[in-house]
Amino acid sequence: MSPNAHEAARLLWTCRQSGAVIEALPDAWRPLDAASAHAIQAALPKVAGCPVVGWKIAATSAAGQAHIQVDGPLAGRILDRFVQPAGATVSLSGNRMRVVEPEFAFRMGAALPPRAAPYTADEVLAAVESLHPAFEVPDSRFAHFASAGQAQLIADDACCGQFTFGPAAPGAWRGLDLAAHRVQAIVCSADGRERTSREGEGRALLGSPITALTWLANELSALGIGLRAGDWASCGTCMVPLDVQAGDRVVADYGVLGRIEITLSER
């Protein structure tokens, strides 16, 4: 680990703990390409003292990529400290994005280690243990994350926030067209009034959740990391992110795949 990568990761971690934001990383530490950005992200678990329990994908849709001005999806590490149980109350303290993203997540049953040849979708699917409804409550350590640039966003763990993973879907999910599978989400205020209702579908994830997972497996393989058995892989939001505020309850209905719910607080 280079000293610059360590210092950049430590600054970003300090911001993450305190809820502070920065305009940009200092010039001496700022990554200029994906390789240096990934080195900063790779330093995060040691700096944070938290094990990695999985991975997320940001910007899986063209609209999402345009919003944060990147040319493709971004991978980020999920640390164990930021995984909340299903039905949990999730704090928005220090969070400036204030959105919830309904996602398709997978739990890996077998490892996909780094190798020279790309993994096929069939190989990736065979390594999956289970499919889960999921929520991410993302955030960024940059005051203007939409213009921070791809390298800084990778360094900042791809806007990784807090996650909740619902129960495993019935095994019949393997026979479904996940690209066409629809998800309905509702945001209700603290007094029970419905504030937002939205729909999305699996094709928002690079065309399909399996396509997104295959991209992640090959991205991590190219980085010399790979997916491990037991890892979570949350594959990006399947709809326009839901604006939320403290006191809201968010429910996402995945039909035969299950349902997931969280409550948001300011504490």
Side-chain angles (χ1 to χ4, degrees), residues 134-145:
F135 281 138
E136 183 183 9
V137 185
D139 201 13
S140 175
R141 278 46 72 175
F142 293 109
H144 305 289
F145 67 89

Side-chain angles (χ1 to χ4, degrees), residues 155-170:
D156 188 30
D157 206 16
C159 300
C160 202
Q162 300 190 72
F163 285 84
T164 297
F165 300 107

Side-chain angles (χ1 to χ4, degrees), residues 111-170:
L112 294 172
R115 71 181 196 187
Y119 284 101
T120 66
D122 286 344
E123 288 176 309
V124 172
L125 187 58
V128 171
E129 178 181 295
S130 51
L131 168 66
H132 300 251
F135 281 138
E136 183 183 9
V137 185
D139 201 13
S140 175
R141 278 46 72 175
F142 293 109
H144 305 289
F145 67 89
S147 58
Q150 184 161 312
Q152 289 199 114
L153 292 176
I154 292 171
D156 188 30
D157 206 16
C159 300
C160 202
Q162 300 190 72
F163 285 84
T164 297
F165 300 107

Side-chain angles (χ1 to χ4, degrees), residues 60-143:
T60 51
S61 70
Q65 291 165 18
H67 179 56
I68 59 174
Q69 301 178 44
V70 298
D71 57 13
L74 311 176
R77 288 163 166 82
I78 301 174
L79 304 182
D80 71 340
R81 182 180 300 188
F82 300 101
V83 176
Q84 309 295 335
T89 296
V90 175
S91 174
L92 289 174
S93 177
N95 184 299
R96 287 171 173 78
M97 283 191 174
R98 302 264 162 160
V99 297
V100 171
E101 299 179 342
E103 308 204 351
F104 287 76
F106 297 92
R107 194 79 185 265
M108 303 307 296
L112 294 172
R115 71 181 196 187
Y119 284 101
T120 66
D122 286 344
E123 288 176 309
V124 172
L125 187 58
V128 171
E129 178 181 295
S130 51
L131 168 66
H132 300 251
F135 281 138
E136 183 183 9
V137 185
D139 201 13
S140 175
R141 278 46 72 175
F142 293 109

Side-chain angles (χ1 to χ4, degrees), residues 226-243:
L227 283 164
R228 305 167 302 178
D231 274 351
W232 290 105
S234 202
C235 292
T237 185
C238 62
M239 64 183 66
V240 174
L242 301 156
D243 292 326

